[in-house]
Amino acid sequence: MSDLSSLKCEACQVGAPKVTEEELPSLLAEIPDWNIEIRDDIMQLERVFTFKNFKEALAFTNRVGEIAEEVFHHPSILTEWGQVTVTWWTHKIKGLHKNDFIMAAKTDEILS
Ligand SMILES: C[C@H](O)[C@H](O)[C@H]1CNC2=NC(N)=NC(=O)C2=N1
């Protein structure tokens, strides 16, 4: 279990600090299956999870939704037959907060 997944998300306000270039490598090392995507100048964390069918993909989707609601921090989720694409970023700061890394690690924990 990565240290990140045991951390609590902090309340994130407008103006909260984005993860710095210096912090990125060590945070990314804790979630090696996630990729950085940049869309509309917004840095995001993304991972594609594969499943046997749509039913399993949907069950996983619902679990991700539950952990998001628990901390009121929400991902983008694309649910398809056999795969789910989860993307984390913080809308308020239009980029990556440590919360996004915590939630990516917690997302990985769903399947462990
Ligand atoms: C009003 C605002 O949308 C809420 O404070 C929360 C809801 N969930 C959220 N989720 C994410 N990823 N980023 C946010 O900025 C965010 N804000």
Side-chain angles (χ1 to χ4, degrees), residues 2 5 30-34 47 49 60 64 67 88 101-112:
S2 79
S5 63
E30 292 204 54
I31 48 168
D33 296 316
W34 293 75
R47 181 180 176 185
F49 296 82
F60 173 73
V64 177
I67 66 168
W88 288 101
F101 290 84
I102 293 169
M103 293 311 291
K106 288 180 185 291
T107 305
D108 287 343
E109 289 286 299
I110 292 170
L111 296 176
S112 64

Side-chain angles (χ1 to χ4, degrees), residues 1 4 7-8 14-15 17-18 22 30-31 43 45 50 53-54 61 68 83 89-90 100-102 106-107 112:
M1 176 163 111
L4 276 177
L7 296 179
K8 275 190 171 309
V14 172
K18 291 180 185 175
E22 294 74 27
E30 292 204 54
I31 48 168
M43 195 178 280
L45 291 172
T50 56
N53 51 43
F54 188 82
T61 299
Q83 76 174 41
W89 79 99
T90 300
D100 298 304
F101 290 84
I102 293 169
K106 288 180 185 291
T107 305
S112 64

Side-chain angles (χ1 to χ4, degrees), residues 12 72-75 88-93 100:
C12 183
F72 205 59
H73 192 71
H74 305 86
W88 288 101
W89 79 99
T90 300
H91 304 260
K92 282 196 186 64
I93 64 174
D100 298 304

